Amino acid sequence: MSEVLVVVDHVDGAVKKPTYELLTIAKRLGEPSAVYIGPADKASEVTDKVKKYGAEKVYVVDDAQLKGYLVAPKAEALAQLVEKASPAAILIPSSAEGKEIGGRLSIKLQSGLITDAVDVQPGDGGAPVTTQSVFAGNFTVQAKVTQGTPIITVKPNSAAPEESEGAGAVEEFTPTISDTAKTAQIVAAQPRQATGRPELTEAAIVVSGGRGTGGNFEPIEALADALGAAVGASRAAVDSGWMPHTFQVGQTGKTVSPQLYVANGISGAIQHRAGMQTSKTIVAVNKDEEAPMFELVDFGVVGDLHTVLPAATEEINKRKG
Amino acid sequence: MNIVVCVKYVPDATADRQFESDNTVDRVGVDGLLSELDEYGVEQSLQIKEKAGDDTTVTALCVGPEKALDAVRKALQMGADKGVHVIDDAIAGSDAAATSLVLAKAIEKIGAETPVDLVVGGLASTDAGMSVVPAMLAERLGLPQVTLASVVEFQGDQVRIKRDGDTATEVIGGTMPLVLSVTDQSGEARYPSFKGIMAAKKKPLETWSLSDLGVEADQVGLAAAWTEVVDTAARPPRTAGEIVKDEDGSGATALAEFLASKKFI
Ligand SMILES: Cc1cc2nc3c(=O)[nH]c(=O)nc-3n(C[C@H](O)[C@H](O)[C@H](O)COP(=O)(O)OP(=O)(O)OC[C@H]3O[C@@H](n4cnc5c(N)ncnc54)[C@H](O)[C@@H]3O)c2cc1C
Ligand SMILES: Nc1ncnc2c1ncn2[C@@H]1O[C@H](COP(=O)(O)O)[C@@H](O)[C@H]1O
């Protein structure tokens, strides 16, 4: 069986959940090989984690000579690894960085690229067939790569991680990085502050607020905490400076697909829907019964969020006991 | 400075977007426009020109069908100096890789006399929305990519941007020539003024086909795509949900009740 490369999603060696989802998908397509590009001294820690989810091999690429630059060196390293391993496919987390790595890799390898897959299954002859949600979630398309090594970026929450012990054989890989790949430099970086809440794109529940909050996100945050949810925002709330852009849900923000999405004081413009329409259950609180958001909901409350949310939060906390 | 801004013509997101029987995006039956996210690229290009001085040229470049000329026109009305529209029947159905090939060849042609210093793109096209064409262009042109900027600054040939990454906010620096892409956080795009609309009518506008670029017809289009859409299906409409009116706190109780019934509590 051929290897399937999985690019490990991590921050400084701390492996993130989408990695396990990608390994689970890789197992459907062949033999999962994790590709860890990061500090070498965290490699054994990473190996322990990824082999629990089926990684037969772990390629360790020490990032000492790659870090400090934008995506080009990572794309070079991966291209060289693909040439060496001839994998059946390469799976990359569908982040902004992941997609750009995919773009460069696609041209280097003359191979087809599919972005933002929400599902990947083996098709005829085992080649991957992807599912994507397009046109603001109004259409579902299935696609496949017809040339070269399939390069697929996969969104968070696209598979339930399945534990299965892999061999986890470590192989160090040292790429040759060209000078042209080192031309866009990261001059400074400020890590994002932890909110203590689940990450927006990975959360099972998202509670969002829009212009209707009037800038007061306290009721949103309190409900989110009662439900163990992440907090999201509409662009109107972000543009007003009430929430940072990283909280924005929608076409130009994050796409989320949680079990439950609670939209409060959000009208439901197409660009907002684009980021949340595929949520399993949708709830809205809005004082305008004509708000387009109500077309999407499983449950809606026509009312003022400033009274409904605190009362509902209290009730939820009471029920939790 | 020689700036090329890539602008895409896309079906209107607020219209009823559809696919053709061959699973390509319907680009003719649905009203289109300059992708809103590319207006930000035009805006930043114009701001750079305003700071750099009058010997700067901003060329708006679009690859697309006949109506895509509207996208180039809009960029000219906003203030771009020149327009280039690449149109060829063979391009229909191209994927991102093929589109980036045509764009790269057109950029090379635009830079034949005066080399291009800056290639500007948007965050994503509002139809396919892959956010990969600028990275692909950088790869094809052998240039640095300084992408997804929310703030753009430059001094001489040095460019610095702020990028709101997934795990950190970063400052990225590069030396021109390079590929820049900007997000919708980079600042409101200007509306064409009446004067701008009149002036646009007299601006140079070129139409190129594949043969002008030295690209063979079999390198692009649906048949040459490296990916294939095998199926498209409209998402089934959501079944109408239950909507209650809040009266004296009844909404909160009903909401908690609903969440409990779905085991979210
Ligand atoms: C290219 C482009 C990209 C975009 N990308 C995004 C994106 O990524 N994400 C995004 O969200 N938007 C995006 N937008 C903007 C989008 O079109 C809408 O303008 C935006 O989503 C509106 O935000 P909103 O629903 O919070 O505000 P509004 O549309 O103003 O709605 C506010 C709602 O709050 C309700 N309300 C007011 N007070 C209360 C109260 N006390 N209690 C309960 N309800 C109340 C009102 O009835 C109303 O329905 C984009 C637009 C463009 C052109
Ligand atoms: N056909 C096209 N013509 C001109 N520019 C394009 C075209 N396709 C993509 N681009 C540019 O590439 C950016 C990203 O597009 P995409 O990768 O399709 O999301 C857009 O914002 C445009 O700047």
Side-chain angles (χ1 to χ4, degrees), chain A residues 31-32 47 50-58 164-170:
Chain A
E31 256 180 34
T47 303
V50 296
K51 69 193 256 202
K52 286 211 185 72
Y53 289 87
E56 296 297 336
K57 258 191 216 168
V58 183
S164 100
E165 198 67 23
V170 172

Side-chain angles (χ1 to χ4, degrees), chain A residues 104, chain B residues 133-147 179:
Chain A
R104 280 187 174 261
Chain B
V133 166
M136 285 178 161
L137 274 177
E139 183 66 35
R140 289 196 183 273
L141 297 166
L143 295 179
Q145 72 173 84
V146 176
T147 42
V179 175

Side-chain angles (χ1 to χ4, degrees), chain A residues 211 234-235 248-252 265 267 271-272 286 304-305:
Chain A
R211 203 192 309 272
S234 74
R235 174 159 142 183
Q248 185 178 317
V249 172
Q251 188 192 1
T252 56
S267 60
Q271 294 91 354
H272 188 80
N286 196 305
D304 189 330
L305 70 90

Side-chain angles (χ1 to χ4, degrees), chain B residues 6-8 38 61-64 99 103 120-125 128-134:
Chain B
C6 300
V7 293
K8 190 175 182 184
D38 288 347
L61 167 63
C62 179
V63 174
T99 303
L103 286 169
V120 183
L123 157 69
S125 46
M130 294 177 74
S131 281
V132 296
V133 166

Side-chain angles (χ1 to χ4, degrees), chain A residues 19-320:
Chain A
T19 308
Y20 308 131
E21 298 166 1
L22 263 59
L23 286 167
T24 303
I25 291 172
K27 215 162 155 68
R28 300 175 191 153
L29 306 170
E31 256 180 34
S33 294
V35 182
Y36 165 66
I37 304 177
D41 61 352
K42 298 277 170 58
S44 66
E45 212 172 288
V46 170
T47 303
D48 287 345
K49 295 243 168 79
V50 296
K51 69 193 256 202
K52 286 211 185 72
Y53 289 87
E56 296 297 336
K57 258 191 216 168
V58 183
Y59 292 104
V60 173
V61 182
D62 183 5
D63 71 351
Q65 56 159 344
L66 283 73
K67 65 170 184 246
Y69 306 102
L70 217 54
V71 299
K74 284 188 184 160
E76 264 186 4
L78 288 171
Q80 290 163 22
L81 193 53
V82 167
E83 258 153 46
K84 182 182 126 92
S86 310
I90 170 159
L91 306 179
I92 305 176
S94 210
S95 56
E97 178 182 81
K99 290 200 268 188
E100 292 195 328
I101 291 174
R104 280 187 174 261
L105 200 53
S106 163
I107 303 300
K108 277 185 203 293
L109 298 172
Q110 302 278 293
S111 293
L113 165 69
I114 291 172
T115 56
D116 294 328
V118 293
D119 192 16
V120 187
Q121 296 288 346
D124 291 342
V129 176
T130 62
T131 304
Q132 291 144 278
S133 177
V134 302
F135 288 172
N138 286 336
F139 279 81
T140 305
V141 306
Q142 297 201 300
K144 60 182 187 191
V145 167
T146 50
Q147 181 178 300
T149 309
I151 306 166
I152 302 168
T153 77
V154 184
K155 291 186 91 78
N157 283 336
S158 294
E162 284 165 25
E163 288 197 31
S164 100
E165 198 67 23
V170 172
E171 216 174 287
E172 270 161 38
F173 182 76
T174 310
T176 318
I177 304 301
S178 70
D179 287 339
T180 40
K182 295 185 179 174
T183 43
Q185 268 176 314
I186 301 170
V187 183
Q190 177 133 46
R192 204 162 297 303
Q193 266 173 0
T195 57
R197 297 194 179 94
E199 197 150 330
L200 188 51
T201 51
E202 297 169 14
I205 304 180
V206 175
V207 179
S208 285
R211 203 192 309 272
T213 61
N216 178 7
F217 261 68
E218 262 168 49
I220 310 292
E221 290 174 337
L223 177 61
D225 290 340
L227 294 169
V231 170
S234 74
R235 174 159 142 183
V238 170
D239 284 353
S240 306
W242 302 336
M243 292 301 270
H245 180 244
T246 43
F247 287 74
Q248 185 178 317
V249 172
Q251 188 192 1
T252 56
K254 302 270 164 34
T255 322
V256 299
S257 198
Q259 296 299 319
L260 170 66
Y261 188 85
V262 188
N264 305 291
I266 297 178
S267 60
I270 180 91
Q271 294 91 354
H272 188 80
R273 291 175 176 215
M276 45 68 68
Q277 179 138 244
T278 58
S279 305
K280 309 290 173 304
T281 301
I282 298 176
V283 169
V285 178
N286 196 305
K287 66 180 185 189
D288 174 12
E289 63 184 318
E290 303 286 317
M293 188 58 95
F294 283 129
E295 291 163 15
L296 292 184
V297 300
D298 297 286
F299 189 81
V301 179
V302 180
D304 189 330
L305 70 90
H306 296 291
T307 55
V308 173
L309 295 191
T313 305
E314 200 185 312
E315 175 75 25
I316 290 165
N317 285 332
K318 217 188 293 165
R319 281 174 192 245
K320 285 201 302 188

Side-chain angles (χ1 to χ4, degrees), chain B residues 188-234:
Chain B
E188 270 317 298
R190 66 193 67 185
Y191 288 104
S193 63
F194 179 71
K195 210 173 128 213
I197 293 169
M198 296 317 284
K201 295 188 173 143
K202 292 186 218 95
K203 287 178 178 170
L205 206 163
E206 295 200 45
T207 308
W208 293 344
S209 66
L210 286 181
S211 60
D212 293 313
L213 302 178
V215 176
E216 299 295 330
D218 61 5
Q219 288 176 279
V220 296
L222 188 56
W226 298 347
T227 52
E228 185 194 342
V229 174
V230 288
D231 190 37
T232 63

